[in-house]
Amino acid sequence: MRRLLALILTILLWPALAQAQPRSTERIEAELVSMSAWATPGSTLMLAVRQDIEPGWHTYWRNPGDSGGATTLDWRLPAGFSAGEIVWPLPERQRLGELMNYGYSGVVYLPVPVQVPADAAPGSRQTFGVTALFLVCSAEMCVPDELELSLALPVAPGAATDTTHAGPIREVLETSPRPAPISARITVGENGRPVLTAAGTELEGVTRAYFFPFEGGVLDHAAEQTGTRGPDGVALTLTAGRGFGPTAVPMGGVLDTDRGAFEITAEPGEALPGTSGAGALTAEAAETGGGGTGGVLAALGLALIGGLILNLMPCVFPVLAMKAASLATTAHDAPRARRDGLAFLAGVLVAFVALGGALLALRAAGQAVGWGFQLQSPGVMAGLTLLMLAVGLNLSGVFHVGAGLQAAGSGPLARLPGGVGAFFTGVLAVVVAAPCTAPFMAFALGAALVMPWPLALLVFAVLGLGLALPYVAVSFSPALLRRLPRPGPWMERLKGLLAFPMYGTALWLGWVFSRQAGAEALALLFAAALLVAFGLWLAGLNQAARAEGRPAVLSAVAATLALLGGVGLAGTATMLPAPAPGGVGASATALPSQPWSAEAVAAARSGGRPVLVNFTADWCVTCKINERAALSSARVAQALEAADAAYLVGDWTRRDDVIAAELARHGRSGVPLYLLYPAGGGAPRILPQLLTEGTIVRALEESSAR
């Protein structure tokens, strides 16, 4: 209890404890700020150096260009904390006479991930310090400004709330240059000038491109970059700098396009095919817009296919089994079958659009959320656990909803009657489908999140249409309906049988809740489930008594008290402090693994090793199936060992803004996401969402060979 009170006091006193101390000169003001209101043990804390640069002055990118110097940060961190590299925003091109510099003006955030040790003491207060050295320049002069910045943050368990700086920091994380599966080559053209060719799906339809090299002096930054585009990518003609040399050498940098900015590594070699012949490129920034008609139609088509495939995913089997049985009751009543089919469609569409609208609203408010975001909340998981238990008890005949007990004997599967029941089942199907991301669905969701909100909601609606389409098609097919057996006693037995998938779903949701909230919270949830089951049993007795004309006030009062007690206990369970995060290797997969971080990826790649990254969550059914069927096999373990590959796991069971930002960098809004970084450097390869042993083994062999 004392720990809980200390935690609450720490959170309430957060505004007084968090002491960001801005420092300034005549040219720049800077402060150390945080995305989160407190540091969570075992998590990644995202700090940032915020610059407010005076008009007419600028600071510099990692490669300053023809003059200047990059900002450097020298950290002073509490024991056990470690800072990663700066996440550099895309720079501005700043021309000064014959020179071209790369830098920033106005307000700029430089985010840096900081690893919080798992043994950081909740309730403690930690001070973070950094010495920031800025070279601040104008058209006439440059001044090195060194500022000492500090920030004090409390340590507390659980997902931290956002600060006022969370939105701008998150925008940098989502829009900064990101690795992508883009192949790039650098060669010397006939005129002696370097030619950069790059190809990949991210570059299809690009009309603007500019290359920022990571290393200064290799290229002439001030020279014009001309280029052409092709069906598969782009070709840029560059101008060699003093450090280029007589032959092409590997060159890393950022390819900035009208479809995003991507980190690439161009290897020496012949120009890639499909990178020219479709028109000229411009290096100037294009006007922003909502995307062309082709992109919207492609996203809608992928959404429809993804929704259809979602019917085959295991997480929706329980609800779809219920609808199949319900369809059997109306098989020989065509008008009722059509009505139920349309009601089910309406429920699915309303739920998908509502969930999509909530996702878009949260992201617009600066929250780092993706598909399945609601399942990262212990409160939502506790509520869904009790809901699935109630549905199972309803199917078992413990109580009835809607038409009353008098219809139970004559109306098999008399849960919610008629169109209301079909609508509710459509909503339930979407709720249960949330843990799944079907093939093609990820691309549609990623496109939706960068579209204007009306088009984005249309994509979510088409996803729902794909999910509901098979059931609606059967509802409007008299020939298929006539083949189903006529209603009879067998349907009551089917109703009882279908209760068990719902009980299984409730148990699974409870297990995920325990992973998020801990064993003590799970014990309270079990007690809540017992009270809810007792209350619903009393409600069934009340319904039976009323059907026989007997008074049932006592059972009604007792049922109400039991249900309220169960809901109260579940609410209490969600308020307990979250457990400290543990290692993900044992829980996520049987293969030896390490927690994912950008630093872990960089460390493994610096040794020339391929890196396999698994972004997963305990509530993601597709993730768990892939891990059991493919990622945990002896054959894959042997392939990892043979390739000397590092295996990293990013656990998104609970909210993690750094993982959310990394997913967004790869154009995804949810898990699973599997990345394979090749041994020889370059952008990672995105593996399919449905994995097989062969897929992983072949990918590892190709990566090792490269």
Side-chain angles (χ1 to χ4, degrees):
M1 180 60 70
R2 288 197 302 270
R3 290 180 62 191
L4 181 60
L5 291 175
L7 172 61
I8 295 173
L9 184 62
T10 298
I11 295 172
L12 291 177
L13 293 179
W14 150 245
L17 293 176
Q19 299 177 358
Q21 301 174 3
R23 295 289 184 266
S24 63
T25 67
E26 296 178 359
R27 297 157 293 277
I28 186 173
E29 178 184 89
E31 61 179 325
L32 184 60
V33 299
S34 173
M35 176 186 287
S36 305
W38 61 82
T40 302
S43 70
T44 301
L45 176 68
M46 189 60 68
L47 301 182
V49 173
R50 178 184 182 273
Q51 309 171 53
D52 190 351
I53 307 167
E54 289 294 318
W57 297 82
H58 58 267
T59 58
Y60 292 94
W61 186 53
R62 56 182 293 180
N63 171 15
D66 290 326
S67 65
T71 298
T72 61
L73 303 178
D74 184 13
W75 289 94
R76 300 179 305 281
L77 300 174
F81 290 72
S82 60
E85 299 297 323
I86 297 172
V87 179
W88 294 95
L90 187 71
E92 304 166 354
R93 283 174 274 156
Q94 301 163 336
R95 183 174 290 278
L96 297 173
E98 299 298 320
L99 304 179
M100 175 69 78
N101 293 333
Y102 301 141
Y104 309 104
S105 58
V107 176
V108 184
Y109 286 81
L110 298 182
V112 175
V114 174
Q115 293 298 125
V116 182
D119 58 356
S124 64
R125 178 188 178 191
Q126 303 293 342
T127 300
F128 304 86
V130 64
T131 300
L133 178 59
F134 308 98
L135 186 62
V136 192
C137 297
S138 67
E140 292 81 22
M141 62 183 299
C142 288
V143 180
D145 281 332
E146 184 175 275
L147 299 176
E148 299 291 338
L149 310 176
S150 64
L151 174 69
L153 288 176
V155 176
T161 57
D162 287 343
T163 67
T164 55
H165 297 283
I169 296 174
R170 186 168 293 114
E171 182 178 1
V172 172
L173 295 175
E174 293 181 352
T175 60
S176 60
R178 61 185 185 273
I182 295 175
S183 299
R185 298 286 185 273
I186 187 77
T187 187
V188 178
E190 295 179 357
N191 55 4
R193 296 178 63 182
V195 177
L196 172 71
T197 56
T201 55
E202 286 80 1
L203 301 180
E204 294 175 2
V206 163
T207 60
R208 173 182 63 83
Y210 186 89
F211 181 67
F212 295 89
F214 285 151
E215 184 179 349
V218 177
L219 298 178
D220 184 346
H221 305 101
E224 181 183 9
Q225 296 186 7
T226 60
T228 61
R229 54 190 172 88
D232 300 324
V234 298
L236 286 175
T237 300
L238 312 173
T239 301
R242 294 186 301 274
F244 186 80
T247 59
V249 295
M251 185 182 303
V254 171
L255 184 63
D256 178 32
T257 75
D258 49 335
R259 292 196 57 183
F262 310 101
E263 292 184 3
I264 63 172
T265 299
E267 302 289 345
E270 296 296 325
L272 293 170
T275 57
S276 61
L281 286 170
T282 175
E284 300 304 320
E287 294 184 3
T288 58
T293 303
V296 174
L297 293 178
L300 293 176
L302 292 173
L304 182 64
I305 297 172
L308 284 168
I309 296 177
L310 197 57
N311 285 281
L312 304 177
M313 307 303 285
C315 45
V316 297
F317 281 174
V319 173
L320 294 181
M322 289 172 55
K323 283 317 301 172
S326 178
L327 184 64
T329 67
T330 61
H332 301 277
D333 185 350
R336 183 182 169 193
R338 290 192 294 269
R339 179 202 64 189
D340 283 3
L342 293 176
F344 178 74
L345 172 63
V348 170
L349 293 180
V350 167
F352 251 111
V353 171
L355 194 59
L359 174 60
L360 294 172
L362 288 172
R363 290 176 69 92
Q367 300 292 311
V369 295
W371 181 249
F373 69 94
Q374 70 280 13
L375 300 178
Q376 294 175 323
S377 165
V380 172
M381 298 307 294
L384 289 177
T385 300
L386 298 181
L387 174 62
M388 295 304 164
L389 173 63
V391 172
L393 293 172
N394 176 237
L395 290 170
S396 293
V398 172
F399 73 104
H400 300 276
V401 180
L405 188 63
Q406 64 273 14
S410 59
L413 292 175
R415 301 175 306 281
L416 285 176
V420 177
F423 180 88
F424 172 77
T425 309
V427 173
L428 191 62
V430 176
V431 171
V432 179
C436 281
T437 304
F440 301 102
M441 184 174 162
F443 301 101
L445 288 172
L449 295 179
V450 298
M451 290 180 176
W453 69 265
L455 292 177
L457 291 182
L458 180 60
V459 171
F460 282 101
V462 173
L463 274 168
L465 177 63
L467 176 64
L469 197 56
Y471 178 77
V472 175
V474 174
S475 300
F476 279 77
S477 302
L480 290 176
L481 292 174
R482 283 195 296 268
R483 292 180 176 272
L484 297 175
R486 292 187 175 275
W490 66 272
M491 299 198 68
E492 282 297 326
R493 294 190 292 272
L494 178 62
K495 181 179 74 169
L497 178 63
L498 289 175
F500 290 94
M502 307 314 295
Y503 295 140
T505 304
L507 289 173
W508 167 67
L509 292 170
W511 171 74
V512 176
F513 174 82
S514 72
R515 298 273 295 156
Q516 296 173 333
E520 293 182 7
L522 180 63
L524 286 179
L525 183 62
F526 282 163
L530 180 63
L531 280 176
V532 167
F534 181 58
L536 293 176
W537 177 74
L538 290 174
L541 294 181
N542 177 268
Q543 290 174 331
R546 291 173 57 190
E548 296 173 2
R550 294 185 285 107
V553 176
L554 183 60
S555 60
V557 172
T560 301
L561 292 176
L563 291 173
L564 290 176
V567 173
L569 276 179
T572 303
T574 64
M575 297 173 64
L576 293 180
V584 299
S587 61
T589 173
L591 296 178
S593 66
Q594 296 295 326
W596 170 87
S597 68
E599 292 74 25
V601 174
R605 300 195 79 189
S606 66
R609 303 174 65 192
V611 182
L612 176 62
V613 181
N614 171 14
F615 289 105
T616 182
D618 286 337
W619 43 260
C620 171
V621 179
T622 306
C623 304
K624 297 293 116 180
I625 291 177
N626 285 337
E627 286 157 12
R628 296 296 179 268
L631 286 167
S632 296
S633 74
R635 185 182 172 199
V636 170
Q638 292 170 359
L640 283 169
E641 183 177 359
D644 190 28
Y647 179 41
L648 307 178
V649 177
D651 191 347
W652 209 37
T653 301
R654 290 187 289 178
R655 176 174 170 176
D656 188 313
D657 291 349
V658 178
I659 291 179
E662 186 68 14
L663 293 172
R665 283 165 63 88
H666 295 284
R668 298 298 175 90
S669 63
V671 290
L673 173 63
Y674 306 105
L675 302 176
L676 181 58
Y677 292 84
R685 172 182 174 184
I686 299 179
L687 300 182
Q689 287 178 291
L690 295 180
L691 293 178
T692 63
E693 285 185 2
T695 299
I696 303 173
V697 171
R698 283 192 298 273
L700 286 169
E701 290 173 349
E702 294 170 1
S703 171
S704 180
R706 176 177 176 182

